[in-house]
Amino acid sequence: ESDFSVEDMPDLFGRLKKESETAQVLIFSAWLEDKIRYLIKSHLLEINSERDEKELFGPNGPLAGFSSRILMMKHLGWLSPRVANNLNSWRKIRNAFAHRAYKTSFQDQKIKDQWNRMETSQASLLKALAKERPDIGLRDFKALPTAEQRLAKLVMLASGAFHELILAPVARSWSISPGDVLGGKWDDLPKPAKRLWDNSTKAIVRIAQEDT
């Protein structure tokens, strides 16, 4: 049971297509961190008030920073090392854009290096979608403009993290290997995970369709 929702993901990425690089980074980051904070809270006990939440996530709390949250989730086994590394690379990109707004670009070498460290599979998902639904007019991933390829990668960054944070903590609590759950068949996934990937797919479609 979970009321975690990413129903806003398709519209978010539809809007991000029209934004500058800096706006894309900062808006997506705020959205991503808000969702991850919600998922962390959903697995913690005794978070019954705003004060309880502030003690953990407030400026002086142990989970105040995104880096602290990533570290905790990794060592609890809620995130795989690969996804934790992806989030850390993105955190460094976000920080660069936040500290030098509109003076930083994805063409900067340090940004490129962090971006290339992020391992996601958006190209294979897009290929599968195009094959399954030829009627919706998806372009080949390599034919997408660079900015849209980047947005598709962000969809997969977020979805990979959310998928693990929905399932891995529950698997750990039942002494089940997270790998046995995370890599399960579609029919065996719980509803929150299915909703996640349904909306991720819709977001990818919004990005990859030709603008009319």
Side-chain angles (χ1 to χ4, degrees):
E1 294 294 335
S2 172
D3 57 0
F4 177 69
S5 171
V6 287
E7 298 293 326
D8 55 344
M9 184 185 277
D11 285 341
L12 171 72
F13 280 90
R15 295 196 305 272
L16 288 179
K17 286 179 69 173
K18 303 173 184 178
E19 297 287 352
S20 67
E21 285 187 0
T22 297
Q24 287 176 347
V25 169
L26 299 183
I27 293 170
F28 171 77
S29 293
W31 177 85
L32 175 69
E33 292 186 42
D34 183 65
K35 297 290 186 184
I36 287 178
R37 174 171 166 164
Y38 181 90
L39 282 167
I40 292 174
K41 283 170 50 185
S42 72
H43 296 300
L44 300 179
L45 302 177
E46 302 299 330
I47 308 295
N48 302 316
S49 67
E50 186 175 333
R51 179 179 178 180
D52 293 333
E53 187 173 339
K54 188 175 181 180
E55 285 179 343
L56 277 175
F57 298 101
N60 298 316
L63 299 179
F66 195 32
S67 59
S68 299
R69 298 172 197 178
I70 296 169
L71 191 64
M72 181 203 75
M73 293 184 291
K74 176 183 175 181
H75 287 291
L76 284 173
W78 293 4
L79 287 179
S80 64
R82 180 183 66 84
V83 171
N85 289 340
N86 284 349
L87 290 176
N88 269 318
S89 290
W90 177 253
R91 177 180 60 81
K92 292 172 184 178
I93 292 172
R94 184 277 316 268
N95 287 347
F97 274 89
H99 294 154
R100 300 183 70 249
Y102 297 102
K103 295 180 181 179
T104 300
S105 166
F106 279 96
Q107 299 307 310
D108 296 350
Q109 190 58 51
K110 289 184 178 179
I111 300 295
K112 283 184 178 180
D113 291 343
Q114 294 298 336
W115 182 256
N116 291 333
R117 290 190 181 105
M118 292 164 50
E119 301 176 23
T120 59
S121 56
Q122 64 281 355
S124 59
L125 175 60
L126 191 55
K127 183 176 180 180
L129 280 172
K131 183 178 180 180
E132 184 178 336
R133 290 290 308 279
D135 56 303
I136 57 179
L138 294 181
R139 290 166 286 172
D140 181 82
F141 182 73
K142 292 181 180 179
L144 292 177
T146 301
E148 293 181 14
Q149 290 186 27
R150 188 163 57 240
L151 289 175
K153 189 169 182 174
L154 293 183
V155 171
M156 298 304 290
L157 168 71
S159 300
F162 298 160
H163 182 73
E164 292 193 358
L165 288 172
I166 290 170
L167 299 178
V170 178
R172 290 287 183 189
S173 71
W174 286 89
S175 300
I176 298 169
S177 169
D180 292 341
V181 179
L182 295 170
K185 296 179 180 178
W186 175 260
D187 289 343
D188 296 331
L189 290 177
K191 288 181 180 179
K194 288 182 177 179
R195 290 196 302 267
L196 165 64
W197 288 107
D198 280 340
N199 282 285
S200 300
T201 298
K202 291 175 184 176
I204 291 281
V205 169
R206 288 285 291 272
I207 293 164
Q209 280 183 307
E210 293 275 9
D211 290 327
T212 57

